[in-house]
Structures are given as C-alpha cells and as structure tokens.
Amino acid sequence: MLNYSVKRLGLAVIIVSVVMLLLFTMIYLIPGDPAAVALGPRATDAMREALRVKMGLDQPIWIQFWNFFINAWQGDLGNEVLSDRPVTDVVLEQLPFTLALIAGGMIWSIALGIPLGCWTAIQPGGIVDRIIGILSVGVIAVPSFVIAIYALLIFAVSLRWLPAIGAGDSGDIIDQIIHLILPSLAVGLGWVGYLARLVRASMLEVLEASHIRTARAFGLPERLITYRYALTIAILPTVTLLGVGIGQMLSSAVFAEIVFARPGVGKLVYDAILTRNYPLVSGAVLVTTVLFIAINLIADLVVGVLDPRVRSRL
Amino acid sequence: MNGLNMTRRSFLAACGAFGAATMVVPRFALSQDGSVLTVRSYSDLQVLDPTFRLSLPEDDIIRSIFAPLVIPQAGDVWGWKPIAAQSIEQLDDVTIAFTLKDNIGFTDGYGQMTAEDVKFSIERFADPAMESPYAGDWSALKEVEVKDKLSGLIHLNQKFVPLWSTTLPTPASCILSKRAMEELGDKITTKPVAQSGQYLLAEWQPKQKTVLKRNPDWAHEQGGFDEIHIIPIEDPATAERGFEAGDLDYTWTSVASIPRLKSNPPPNSVVLEKPSLAYVWIGMNQDVAPFDNINIRRAVQHAIDRKGVVDAAYFGAASVGNGIIAPGLPGSRDSVTYDYDPDKARDLLKQEGATNLSVTLDILNQTDRLTAAQVIQANLADVGISCEIKQNDSGTFWTLGSKDGDYWNKLQIYLQRYSMQPDPSWATVWFTPEQVGVWNWERVNNAEYKALHDQGLGESDFGKRDEIYKKMQGLMDESGCYVFLTHEVVGAIHRDTIQPGLKPNGESLFSEFKSA
C-alpha cells in the first residue's frame, strides 16, 4: 500500500507541474494588456510600463515561467495586480465559499441520488423506475446554469422562500445555509441523475449475486438485504465517481457563483480573467487544480484500500 | 446514552422538518427597519485611495469615508454642494478660496481636519512622482496656499473651467490626513486610515459585501441610513433578480430590461430612466485599408441606419445621438452632417471601384453590442460590403487599438462606447493627436481639433464653449471616421420606501439616499 501511495503522490506532483506549464502558456496566449486593463483609460504610458515591470512582464517568458514555477512550489503565488494583496490570501478567502457550495451539491446528489437509485433497482421496469429514469437523464442533460436560473426565478423571485444573491452574513451559520440551498441545488442536481443511474445499475448487478440469493434463502427481510448487504457493495463505484464529480462541480460552481452573485473561486477566476489579473488567475486555478488532484488522490487511495486489485495495477 | 435517544430515522425527519421550516419562514428585505440600505455596485472595491481609485463604485465609497470639499448634487441638474467646505468660491480665473468646517475629525486619533490636509491631499494628486492616473484633474494646479488652520487658497497656473464640474465634485477633492499618510508612506489599499466622512467603512467581505456605518463623530448633515450595505454584482440581470427577490433596495438595470420593468414593475418599486453621458459610435481606423480611403469611410457613414441600429440594440429605450457630447452640455448637437442614404453609399463605393469589400467589425461581447452589430452587418451588406463580426471579451477589446499591441494595424471598424463626466472636454480629450494609439483608435491626427480642445478648457462662456465643441464634432464628421449612434439611457429601480440620491445621469451618491 505504501508503494502504491508513493506512486500516486509522484504522479500527482507530475500532473501539477504539467498543469502549471499549460496554465502559464494559456494565460500568456490570451490577448490583451493587463497593465492597460488594470490602470484604466487615464493612465499614462509610463504608468502602464511601470506596472508591466512590476508584474515581471518585461522579462523573457521562460524567466517568467521559471519564477512562477519555483515560487508556486514554495507557496508564494505573488501579489494581486490591483490591490497588491497576496494572491494566496485572496484565494483562501474565497475558497471556503466554493468548498461549501460543492459540499452542498454533494449532499444534494448523495441524499437524493442514492435512495432513488436503490428505489428504482428494487422494482426495475416499473412505473417509478421509468419516471425516475427519464428524470435522471433529464437533469443530467440540463446545464447547471439553466437549473440555477429557474431555481432562482421560482424559489427566490416568485415564491420568495429563499434569497437570490449573496452567501449570507458571516458568523450567521443558519443564514449561510439558507443562502446555500439554491446554488448547491444548481450545482448538485445533475449529479443526482448520475448517481441514481450508477447506483441503480450497480444494485441490479449486486442483487443478482450469490450472497444476496443466500440471504434471501435464509429469509432475511428484503429491506435489510437491500440496504445492508447490497447497497454497501453497490455504492463502491460511486467513491471514484465522486472524485470526478467534484471536478465537474468546480466548473459548475462558476455559473452558480455568477448567477447567485456568491463569492467563490470560480467567480474570482472569471473576474480575474476579464481584468487580465494574471497572478490571480494562475494562483486561483492552481489552487483549484491542486484541490481537484488531492481529492482524486484521496479517492484513489480509498479505492486502493478497499480493492487490492487496483494497487497491483500501478 | 439514554439521554439522547436519536435514531437515524428521527434524525432525518428532524433535518427535513428544519429544512421545511427555513423555507416557509417569510423573508424580509434588509432595509425594512429603515436603518439599512442595501444597494448593488457593479464591482468590488480594490483601492480606497482617492488618488489611485479604479472604478465608479469606489468613488462612491471613497467620497463617503473621506470627506471631500464638495460632492455632486443629487437631482436632475448638474451642480455641487459642500461637504467638508464651509465655503468655497472662485475669486478670479486662477484662484479659489476655501474654508473648512470647524469640527471634522479623522478617526484613529489623527485629530482635526485642517487646511494643511487640504494642501497635502490636492498637491498629492498633482505630484508627478505619485504617478496618479487622475493627475490631469489637477493639471492646472500651481499650489495650495494655507492661510490659517481652516482656510486657504487654491492657485491655478491657468484658467481651468472643468474644475467645478469634473474635478472638485469627484474624489479629487477628498481630504486625507497628512500625518496618517506620511506615517503610512504608501497608497491606501483596502484598509482605510484616518477616515473622516459621513460614513465609516465598517466591514469589507471581499466579493461579498462592503458595509458603511454612520460616522458617530460627523456633526453635519447626516446620511439617510444608519448602514449602507454594498453588494458587488457584475451582471445586471442577476442584480435585477436580486431586487425582485427582495434582497436589494436599489440597483442599476440593463437598458434592455427597462421596457419590461416599466410595463410590469415589481410590487412597491419605482423604475427610473435617466439620460446617460455615455456615447456610442462606430469607429473606422483611417490608417488601415480599406478605411484609409475617405470615400469608403463616407460610404459607411451613409450606409448605416442609425435609428435602426439603436432601436434594435436598446429595444426602443434609447434615442439616436449626434455626437460625443450628451444633451444638456455645451456642444451637444441636434444632427450630424451625414444622413442614411444607401444609394449615395453605393455610388461612393462604385466611384472608388470598391467591389466585394470585406471588413471585420470588432465589438465587445455584450448582447446589446451584438444586436447592434448585426444590424450594422445587414446595413453594410445592403450596400455591398461583407462584414464579419468579431466578439472580444473586455480584456481583449480595450487593448485592440493600443499602439503597444499588435492589432491596431489590423483593426478596421469597431463599435465603441466611452463614458464621461459632465464637461465636454472629458469627451473630446480622447480624440486628440496625443491619444492616437491610446484611446484614439481612429488615429485621426488633427491639429485644429487639438487647438480647439485646449481653447475649450479655458473658455467659461457657455455660448462660446458650445460653438467650440460643436466645431470639434464637425471636424470628426468631416474625417469620415465616425458614425455616432446614441448616448444610451441609464435604468435604475428602487423600493418606494427610499428616495435615491442620484446624479443627473443616474450614478449613485450613497450618502444622499434617504428614506421616502
């Protein structure tokens, strides 16, 4: 297991390094002058040039990349262009909002997706199975921003049950949870469908297994067989899928943060791209990437613990 | 464990009941108690230093927390009113006398505001070493002379007419504590020092909320609310939904939403439509083919149905504009020197042998611009010019014509919008020869235009200024590089329980909002 873990960690480091190179290249391929955008129309040529020097844009590109690469591995993501605050601080201020959003999305998807998957697997081909099957595919197909807009229009604008914008007052956890309900629904609803379909397929396979037949032969209650003996095995594939799901939720979070005017890393990156705030873009994307890789690494390690066959493959 | 007899089922039931309870509890707008105003700004604050401010929402916050000599007057007429100044008047063309109110204090123990602080703050703007983007506001400044503790004289090198319209009523007259700034030794970022205004910055949650609270030591005219919560929301549609959901008391709206909101306003709200100072036009780069030929440029001027473009892009909410200077200001025009005449456009193109012309129209990637561009595309196709629309994000778009970039010599025709302050010189300055390759993307280098611009800065007679600025726009027409479209409108919506403090062009003045 130690050997497996070291190999996975090494792979993660390589992936982060490659991502840094790609990220740096992409950012600098974007047209536009960050100094001009940052300083606005009234800045003089000298001011723009001074900012370019401050941002290191006057240096050859490989030196810029090397500085970025070395500093990033030392935890220094530089300073933000406009306010001169450390990028690490700016990103870490926003990260909890995005993590809360993704956690909320996960809760929606697990709380609805797994029971629905079980329910449909118990009565395959029935009316409930068919309706949930159609709905599952439907919510998978609908983009998260469409869900966000309709959820907002129905529950915030028409019914006024829930707030439309913001993340709630800091220090008021109930207010923050209330502000999280709609955005997390928008982020997580697509995954309800995925999980329902995955759990259903997995359950159908497990329910045909010999140990389940044996349990039935012993006369154990069907509810006990389904939730204790079948579901605990059928749920395993979702562990790996959740790692991927978090990545997709990170991208959905951008839309939810914009539609609900929530703070978060997604909106931070979006705003930073528009203002060509290169240090902030690279810092925020890098932190998000590391987060995604770390979650997948953990998911892989968990699967490795649960399934020895996986360890032998790497 | 007997005390906590909670099964999984009862736990889930309790969670469900809690969730349902939170949804049925009625929600209230924050300002229902009348003490908190919740407004939207289109961007978050980034710099609170008046000398280095970056955006309009920052202007409003800065003016509220660092007392300025004067602020713009709320209402439908451009003007100003004193805040830190007890009195302020122009003694002659180059001298302004001021006296501060007697009991304005700085927070953090920095004592009373004095004329020395005024001298420091204004001269800091003009100091070349500070490299302030707003140094031009005080470009005519010679020095500030301190007469006594509270009064002094502002001496100018030359007569500077925009001083009273676009310098003093902006954060360019905000007064900082000399001692605090010298101790700080740098510019103010997001943590203000030595605040002195009607409000104090109480809290800043980045990308989430800025909270201003009444300054308990402010002994003069009070703002209308105990607290002002400023929520940064870039997208106007999101802000409109937030207003309709009861989360905001005031917001700007998109122009496209004005007809819908006016015909079906949300309950207990008031929809406003204000004339904008902005100007929108089609520009042509005279240094790049085919627009290096004046007759091709003139053909485009005649090919564009300006009313059709404006009606389509703004849903009938905006009217056609005839220049860069908005109605009500000296130099505002009633007409342009070219008319919509596709036949004339075709004749000009035929005369130049310009068949199968193909051009690229660069625009900002916004819905109204795309709609306008599609009408322009159809107009040009009608006279035989094939037009490809290229959408750019804001970071790219605003550098297209920059001489530092590599696109200015490919840039052909573009849809452009600039905003301005209530003085015509703010509109004309971007088209002077010095601005070629900076903000003058048409690259028109006209010495007569420059001379007229300089003349306008020193002319205080309304009639003469009107003549000067109309002549300048006539020169722009003559160049063939411009097709003027509109000055747009500004839409806003507010609760009927508040009375918004707005400049004539709809820009907000937080400290001037009152309860209705």
Side-chain angles (χ1 to χ4, degrees), chain B residues 242-473:
Chain B
F243 182 88
E244 290 175 77
D247 294 344
L248 293 171
D249 297 318
Y250 168 82
T251 179
W252 283 346
T253 69
S254 64
V255 177
S257 296
I258 294 174
R260 174 181 68 84
L261 290 169
K262 280 176 81 173
S263 63
N264 186 24
N268 308 316
S269 64
V270 179
V271 181
L272 300 174
E273 198 176 324
K274 294 275 187 178
S276 165
L277 289 179
Y279 47 102
V280 181
W281 78 98
I282 299 165
M284 286 165 268
N285 183 351
Q286 68 164 14
D287 286 350
V288 170
F291 298 111
D292 51 352
N293 180 333
I294 189 165
N295 281 335
I296 303 288
R297 302 199 294 269
R298 289 204 195 290
V300 171
Q301 284 183 322
H302 290 296
I304 305 296
D305 173 10
R306 298 188 301 136
K307 185 168 188 328
V309 174
V310 173
D311 283 349
Y314 300 99
F315 300 88
S319 53
V320 173
N322 296 304
I324 56 175
I325 297 168
L329 298 177
S332 174
R333 300 193 301 177
D334 296 329
S335 62
V336 292
T337 56
Y338 45 88
D339 51 359
Y340 174 48
D341 188 345
D343 290 334
K344 196 169 183 181
R346 287 187 202 99
D347 288 346
L348 283 164
L349 291 171
K350 192 175 173 187
Q351 180 189 319
E352 296 303 318
T355 53
N356 299 322
L357 262 187
S358 185
V359 299
T360 300
L361 172 64
D362 278 282
I363 64 167
L364 193 61
N365 59 348
Q366 290 180 350
T367 312
D368 54 347
R369 309 290 171 89
L370 181 60
T371 309
Q374 286 167 336
V375 180
I376 293 165
Q377 187 182 43
N379 285 163
L380 293 178
D382 186 39
V383 299
I385 301 175
S386 167
C387 174
E388 181 197 348
I389 298 169
K390 185 168 154 243
Q391 296 191 68
N392 303 272
D393 78 295
S394 58
T396 305
F397 182 79
W398 291 110
T399 56
L400 290 179
S402 168
K403 61 179 184 280
D404 297 326
D406 55 4
Y407 192 76
W408 70 265
N409 53 3
K410 301 180 188 73
L411 183 67
Q412 292 181 310
I413 182 169
Y414 43 90
L415 188 56
Q416 184 61 289
R417 176 193 184 277
Y418 285 173
S419 57
M420 63 176 285
Q421 294 290 318
D423 188 89
S425 62
W426 264 77
T428 54
V429 67
W430 311 113
F431 306 96
T432 55
E434 296 97 316
Q435 291 289 328
V436 170
V438 185
W439 297 108
N440 178 353
W441 294 359
E442 294 78 14
R443 307 183 66 83
V444 177
N445 187 338
N446 187 325
E448 186 186 359
Y449 182 94
K450 166 67 176 163
L452 287 165
H453 173 75
D454 292 341
Q455 191 185 337
L457 290 174
E459 180 55 68
S460 52
D461 180 81
F462 188 96
K464 286 180 182 169
R465 287 196 102 198
D466 189 57
E467 203 176 301
I468 289 168
Y469 290 112
K470 279 180 175 160
K471 194 170 178 186
M472 292 175 79
Q473 290 167 95

Side-chain angles (χ1 to χ4, degrees), chain A residues 41 82 160 164 168-169 276, chain B residues 46 208-209 244 247 396 439:
Chain A
L82 302 171
R160 290 205 173 191
D169 283 339
R276 298 294 185 270
Chain B
Q46 295 171 107
Q208 194 176 358
K209 187 194 289 184
E244 290 175 77
D247 294 344
T396 305
W439 297 108

Side-chain angles (χ1 to χ4, degrees), chain B residues 110-353:
Chain B
Y110 285 102
Q112 186 179 358
M113 182 183 287
T114 67
E116 275 294 344
D117 297 311
V118 178
K119 176 180 171 66
F120 169 81
S121 302
I122 290 178
E123 290 182 352
R124 183 171 180 261
F125 265 94
D127 181 0
M130 288 304 292
E131 294 194 335
S132 165
Y134 296 91
D137 286 351
W138 286 107
S139 58
L141 181 73
K142 184 178 177 189
E143 64 166 338
V144 179
E145 179 188 348
V146 175
K147 301 292 285 182
D148 56 40
K149 185 182 172 190
L150 294 176
S151 59
L153 297 170
I154 299 170
H155 296 287
L156 305 179
N157 284 314
Q158 63 203 41
K159 189 175 177 183
F160 188 63
V161 176
L163 187 79
W164 292 94
S165 53
T166 61
T167 296
L168 286 170
T170 71
S173 79
C174 282
I175 302 158
L176 303 175
S177 161
K178 181 183 177 186
R179 182 157 67 90
M181 294 307 294
E182 284 176 348
E183 283 176 19
L184 182 67
D186 200 353
K187 66 180 182 184
I188 301 167
T189 53
T190 53
K191 286 183 184 167
V193 293
Q195 300 177 68
S196 59
Q198 289 162 293
Y199 287 90
L200 302 179
L201 182 78
E203 187 182 2
W204 175 52
Q205 298 171 28
K207 301 276 178 190
Q208 194 176 358
K209 187 194 289 184
T210 302
V211 178
L212 304 181
K213 286 189 177 173
R214 264 191 219 283
N215 181 352
D217 297 327
W218 181 261
H220 309 284
E221 185 189 347
Q222 296 287 330
F225 292 87
D226 290 343
E227 291 184 18
I228 301 174
H229 293 194
I230 303 151
I231 316 290
I233 306 172
E234 187 174 345
D235 179 31
T238 302
E240 288 160 23
R241 299 295 91 75
F243 182 88
E244 290 175 77
D247 294 344
L248 293 171
D249 297 318
Y250 168 82
T251 179
W252 283 346
T253 69
S254 64
V255 177
S257 296
I258 294 174
R260 174 181 68 84
L261 290 169
K262 280 176 81 173
S263 63
N264 186 24
N268 308 316
S269 64
V270 179
V271 181
L272 300 174
E273 198 176 324
K274 294 275 187 178
S276 165
L277 289 179
Y279 47 102
V280 181
W281 78 98
I282 299 165
M284 286 165 268
N285 183 351
Q286 68 164 14
D287 286 350
V288 170
F291 298 111
D292 51 352
N293 180 333
I294 189 165
N295 281 335
I296 303 288
R297 302 199 294 269
R298 289 204 195 290
V300 171
Q301 284 183 322
H302 290 296
I304 305 296
D305 173 10
R306 298 188 301 136
K307 185 168 188 328
V309 174
V310 173
D311 283 349
Y314 300 99
F315 300 88
S319 53
V320 173
N322 296 304
I324 56 175
I325 297 168
L329 298 177
S332 174
R333 300 193 301 177
D334 296 329
S335 62
V336 292
T337 56
Y338 45 88
D339 51 359
Y340 174 48
D341 188 345
D343 290 334
K344 196 169 183 181
R346 287 187 202 99
D347 288 346
L348 283 164
L349 291 171
K350 192 175 173 187
Q351 180 189 319
E352 296 303 318

